[in-house]
Amino acid sequence: MSQSLKLLVATGNPGKLKELAGLFADVPFELVSLADVGIDEEVPETGETFEDNAVLKAVGYAAMSGMWTVADDSGLEVKALGGEPGVRSARYAGEGATDAQRIELLLENLENVPEDRRQARFRCVMALGRPDRTPELFQGACHGIIVRSPIGSRGFGYDPIFLFPELGRTMAELADEEKGRVSHRGIAARKAAVALRALGTHDQAKE
Ligand code: ITT
């Protein structure tokens, strides 16, 4: 195992970065952020699917950095809205909108939807790659209900309106470790961590 192997955690979203740093705390790579390597350019998310955008980000940031890179594309799919906001989750209320504005718009659009039709799922597609390789993809999803007003102050994004019925709490009421255990990102990251450990153990990462 090499101590000097670095993994670029390629996200411009501080909430995601914090979660990914926790989820990858035990992998045999030194984690670095876009800020650490001085990248302030954004890879455009022009794909139609989570898979497309995760690959675009992993390939784009790996090319910019020359490093092993992990990127995730994720979002919320609401059944009553035909899967919206989906890949557009970050841009749902327009560029530059806040999490609170996106939540407000989503709740408005669900105003007339009754309790038994408010199912939703979070999805995460994580892409792991380096400049000369096709990225490997890892998926995670978790299921819940959209509540009528925000509850809780942890996490980020749509967490305050996503209720886990079996826990009786929203995602924004869960401590970081609890969210990691049940979340779309936690599920995908555990799969990616298996691959990262294998790379680190066999030192294939440098080949
Ligand atoms: P990067 O592309 O730089 O990683 P981003 O925020 O633009 O940052 P995405 O394109 O993957 O990332 O958009 C994901 C959006 O989906 C995110 O901005 C949130 O609005 C929402 N989202 C994803 N995961 C979430 C989570 O765990 N909790 C709450 N909302 C989440």
Side-chain angles (χ1 to χ4, degrees):
M1 180 177 110
S2 167
Q3 292 299 328
S4 62
L5 279 174
K6 290 187 179 180
L7 176 66
L8 175 63
V9 183
T11 176
N13 181 323
K16 257 195 208 180
L17 182 62
K18 180 167 177 256
E19 285 186 16
L20 290 170
L23 291 165
F24 289 135
D26 294 334
V27 301
F29 284 73
E30 180 193 338
L31 305 183
V32 295
S33 68
L34 291 171
D36 291 334
V37 294
I39 295 177
D40 54 13
E41 199 180 324
E42 253 185 60
V43 172
E45 298 186 30
T46 52
E48 298 277 308
T49 63
F50 292 118
E51 286 83 353
D52 290 347
N53 284 333
V55 168
L56 282 172
K57 287 189 261 190
V59 167
Y61 290 118
M64 286 183 210
S65 65
M67 295 165 63
W68 277 100
T69 298
V70 68
D72 101 35
D73 202 59
S74 47
L76 180 66
E77 295 179 333
V78 179
K79 199 172 171 190
L81 300 177
E84 286 280 296
V87 286
R88 298 194 312 113
S89 291
R91 306 177 291 274
Y92 189 47
E95 298 290 341
T98 61
D99 282 342
Q101 288 167 329
R102 285 185 275 272
I103 285 178
E104 197 182 329
L105 177 62
L106 190 80
L107 291 179
E108 257 170 51
N109 290 339
L110 287 176
E111 206 174 334
N112 298 318
V113 177
E115 309 312 318
D116 60 347
R117 293 191 28 235
R118 298 177 71 91
Q119 298 91 341
R121 68 174 176 178
F122 271 123
R123 282 192 60 204
C124 174
V125 177
M126 206 167 271
L128 170 67
R130 70 178 204 186
D132 53 350
R133 290 195 195 175
T134 305
E136 197 177 344
L137 298 183
F138 307 91
Q139 310 250 358
C142 61
H143 298 260
I145 300 288
I146 304 300
V147 293
R148 289 198 178 270
S149 53
I151 306 168
S153 56
R154 295 173 182 269
F156 68 96
Y158 300 91
D159 282 347
I161 56 169
F162 187 92
L163 176 78
F164 280 105
E166 60 275 31
L167 299 179
R169 285 182 291 168
T170 67
M171 199 87 116
E173 292 180 292
L174 304 183
D176 294 352
E177 305 73 30
E178 288 179 292
K179 179 174 173 181
R181 274 199 289 278
V182 293
S183 77
H184 52 314
R185 184 164 300 99
I187 294 166
R190 276 187 286 283
K191 296 176 187 172
V194 172
L196 286 165
R197 275 189 211 104
L199 283 169
T201 308
H202 300 126
D203 224 7
Q204 294 166 1
K206 290 192 290 189
E207 284 165 17

